[in-house]
Amino acid sequence: MTVIGVHASHEQIHPSELLRAVRRAEEVGFDAAMSSDHFSPWSARQGQSGFAWSWLGAALEGTGLPFGIVNAPGQRYHPAVIAQAIGTLAAMYPGRFWTALGTGEASNEHITGQRWPRKDVRTARLRECVDIIRALLNGEEVSHDGLVTVDRARVWTRPGEPPKLLGAAVSAETARGHAEWADGLITVNGPTEHLRKVVEAYRGAGGVGRLCLQVHLSWAPTEEEALAIAHEQWRSNVFAPPVCWDVETAEQFDVISEQVTPEQVARTVNVSADLGEHAARLTGYVELGFDEIYLHHVGQEQDRFLDAFGEHVLPEVGR
């Protein structure tokens, strides 16, 4: 059974409205949800950035859905604090909460005033954080001196079984590296051949657990409107690494995306007015081996998308 979930984009939607949206998603037949975890939006046009961890408590209490979050420990977040946050939510809602860990983006992490490290340093820092978080969730007292420092930390409130820690990856190289420690993998939509390489890299290196995919899409009753929504809201998000990792502010993203065309956005976002086409794309992702697929309609208005996909798309995808 493939899980079809919805992505809650805190960069775009006020947290109260986002809570209402995930409740509506549950009503129309979505199986699960996941949440972004940003300090800053990608564009001033998006205009929001609620604190995901506060919101997750309300979302888990207000629905029966399982939830996940993608988090970057090590700079903005100390890993012991993240372990405590994970432990509390997993203890309150057993079996309904997972966390994916990645190296992050400067747009969120620069706020500490610390230097934004090179990618190889960020990767090494993440690996330290993974071991720290996992040990704390296993009930160990942790002290650590390295790229992060921990002094006699212990997480007292924990679930009976430690929750899954997934790896967040965009490239096949990163996916291959995560296979050594991760309980599963999450990546984002892209060309079929690229996604196949990511899956094969993770599984080929011995990666275990479920494969999750976040899908950026734009749907409206007409192609023109669907494309306009994607261009207005998501043109700051078309830049490949290292640009998307290293740009620091929403205002900077807006400047560098001024000349991005709607056609360029459509290479990153699945844009279509045809619900059958959206269903076919999702079926293709299932055939690539993804166990869980989280749909992110990049528009700020969610009800029309949720109702249309609940009625016409979810029943068509092999679940």
Side-chain angles (χ1 to χ4, degrees):
M1 293 284 288
T2 302
V3 170
I4 306 296
V6 66
H7 173 73
S9 178
H10 285 280
E11 308 96 287
Q12 297 178 273
I13 303 169
H14 188 281
S16 296
E17 179 61 23
L18 204 55
L19 179 59
R20 195 191 63 76
V22 294
R23 286 172 170 161
R24 182 62 182 159
E26 182 177 35
E27 291 173 359
V28 302
F30 283 84
D31 304 313
M34 66 170 286
S35 170
S36 60
D37 182 11
H38 282 245
F39 194 85
S40 170
W42 300 94
S43 165
R45 293 182 306 277
Q46 294 174 350
Q48 298 288 336
S49 200
F51 185 55
W53 293 90
S54 301
W55 180 86
L56 279 165
L60 283 158
E61 183 65 24
T63 73
L65 298 174
F67 276 80
I69 189 170
V70 180
N71 173 263
Q75 187 158 328
R76 177 172 48 126
Y77 291 116
H78 192 280
V81 174
I82 289 303
Q84 185 184 32
I86 293 170
T88 296
L89 289 176
M92 293 179 69
Y93 305 101
R96 289 179 55 202
F97 183 65
W98 54 265
T99 305
L101 302 174
T103 55
E105 299 106 1
S107 61
N108 301 306
E109 310 305 322
H110 77 91
I111 63 166
T112 65
Q114 295 173 278
R115 178 177 176 272
W116 180 235
R118 299 186 311 274
K119 175 61 174 174
D120 62 313
V121 177
R122 301 198 306 270
T123 299
R125 182 174 68 181
L126 172 64
R127 191 65 187 83
E128 290 184 17
C129 289
V130 168
D131 288 343
I132 291 163
I133 292 169
R134 200 179 292 282
L136 289 168
L137 290 174
N138 284 332
E140 300 174 32
E141 182 182 281
V142 175
S143 294
H144 179 85
D145 296 289
L147 293 169
V148 293
T149 301
V150 185
D151 179 38
R152 293 166 293 175
R154 180 178 175 185
V155 171
W156 293 84
T157 299
R158 309 183 312 278
E161 181 178 345
K164 301 295 185 184
L165 298 180
L166 280 63
V170 175
S171 69
E173 179 183 3
T174 300
R176 187 178 297 109
H178 286 344
E180 189 268 331
W181 62 264
D183 298 319
L185 185 78
I186 187 165
T187 188
V188 296
N189 64 290
T192 297
E193 188 54 35
H194 171 74
L195 291 175
R196 183 176 288 113
K197 289 178 179 177
V198 170
V199 170
E200 290 175 352
Y202 182 70
R203 292 299 193 208
V208 300
R210 60 191 189 271
L211 296 174
C212 304
L213 180 69
Q214 181 189 28
V215 177
H216 302 303
L217 65 92
S218 182
W219 173 82
T222 68
E223 292 288 334
E224 293 77 12
E225 185 181 359
L227 188 57
I229 289 170
H231 185 246
E232 196 274 337
Q233 278 292 295
W234 214 246
R235 65 178 177 266
S236 300
N237 297 68
V238 302
F239 303 104
V243 175
C244 59
W245 295 337
D246 295 341
V247 174
E248 293 184 341
T249 69
E251 291 78 10
Q252 290 171 339
F253 271 111
D254 282 337
V255 169
I256 65 174
S257 63
E258 284 178 352
Q259 304 304 315
V260 171
T261 67
E263 291 70 28
Q264 287 174 291
V265 178
R267 297 172 197 158
T268 301
V269 179
N270 291 346
V271 178
S272 180
D274 185 344
L275 292 168
E277 182 177 345
H278 283 290
R281 284 177 169 173
L282 297 181
T283 298
Y285 298 141
V286 173
E287 292 170 352
L288 283 172
F290 287 100
D291 306 295
E292 301 181 18
I293 301 172
Y294 293 87
L295 308 186
H296 171 213
H297 172 55
V298 300
Q300 290 178 308
E301 196 282 314
Q302 296 287 299
D303 281 353
R304 187 171 62 170
F305 148 70
L306 292 170
D307 291 347
F309 274 63
E311 182 176 357
H312 299 290
V313 175
L314 299 188
E316 299 300 319
V317 181
R319 302 169 70 193

